[in-house]
Amino acid sequence: ECYVQNTAREYAKIYAAEAEPLEGFGEVPEIIPIFLVHRPANNIPYATVEEELVGEFVKYSVRDGKEVNFLRRDSEAGQKCCTFQHWVYEKTSGSLLVTDLQGVGMKLTDVGIATLAKGYKGFKGNCSISFIEQFRALHQCNKYCEMLGLKSLRTTHQKQRKATAMKSKNLPNSSPVKKTVPKKAREPRDFISSEH
């Protein structure tokens, strides 16, 4: 948990360094640090500690991408979180995605990271690769994506789908072929009964 959140925090710092100087961009989401504490005298010797966030707690993105969240889409914090996800996705060539962004205002906590199956530069996330695929399919760019010069994922995803469709249309025999495999003759099984 600490490793994932603090890794996402490092990406957020780089994102902030690129976004904050842009005219009109404004405040940038911050992922708060989380610390692992060792308490040897306690029944549960390890615990995590982080800053307490006071205010309305909002999920700006969800792990599986299925939930429609108007606060994510319509609020400034939500749009900037989506742009952060897009920025990380583009910076890592689609290999890593910070997801499950949630918190109070621009302060975020308890985030997740999805990576491709092989990981990214030795790092493996804690979320399924399907989150990356869903993000690529569902993300809608906003003005902050445009300010950062991020490429639309919509056109990339549509081009990939069209290319796949064209390949299947161009195959000489694209109709489904039913394969028949001869069934082996069933041999009678010997049952051994045992009496105890």
Side-chain angles (χ1 to χ4, degrees), residues 34-91:
I34 185 170
F35 303 97
L36 183 64
V37 179
H38 183 229
R39 310 170 304 170
N42 199 302
N43 288 342
I44 302 171
Y46 292 96
T48 58
V49 179
E50 63 183 346
E51 173 186 348
E52 181 182 10
L53 299 179
V54 179
E56 184 184 2
F57 196 87
V58 178
K59 287 191 171 218
Y60 296 113
S61 69
V62 287
R63 285 186 181 217
D64 63 8
K66 292 177 185 170
E67 182 180 314
V68 175
N69 186 332
F70 294 108
L71 285 171
R72 171 181 58 83
R73 190 184 67 203
D74 297 339
S75 73
E76 178 183 347
Q79 288 183 21
K80 287 180 177 179
C81 285
C82 289
T83 299
F84 171 58
Q85 289 183 290
H86 187 171
W87 179 86
V88 169
Y89 177 86
E90 192 170 296
K91 289 292 181 189

Side-chain angles (χ1 to χ4, degrees), residues 159-175:
K159 284 178 187 174
Q160 288 172 346
R161 285 183 26 194
K162 282 182 183 176
T164 305
M166 291 299 287
K167 284 180 187 175
S168 64
K169 284 182 182 177
N170 293 335
L171 293 175
N173 185 3
S174 61
S175 61

Side-chain angles (χ1 to χ4, degrees), residues 89-146:
Y89 177 86
E90 192 170 296
K91 289 292 181 189
T92 62
S93 302
S95 300
L96 185 142
L97 179 71
V98 179
T99 188
D100 207 18
L101 299 173
Q102 54 194 326
V104 176
M106 294 285 186
K107 291 199 171 199
L108 309 175
T109 185
D110 197 24
V111 301
I113 293 180
T115 58
L116 295 180
K118 63 181 187 227
Y120 178 70
K121 295 186 177 184
F123 176 80
K124 285 199 175 201
N126 61 340
C127 296
S128 167
I129 187 174
S130 66
F131 303 156
I132 294 176
E133 294 160 3
Q134 289 174 354
F135 174 77
R136 186 173 48 231
L138 299 174
H139 174 71
Q140 294 179 359
C141 286
N142 58 52
K143 67 179 183 179
Y144 300 107
C145 294
E146 292 170 16

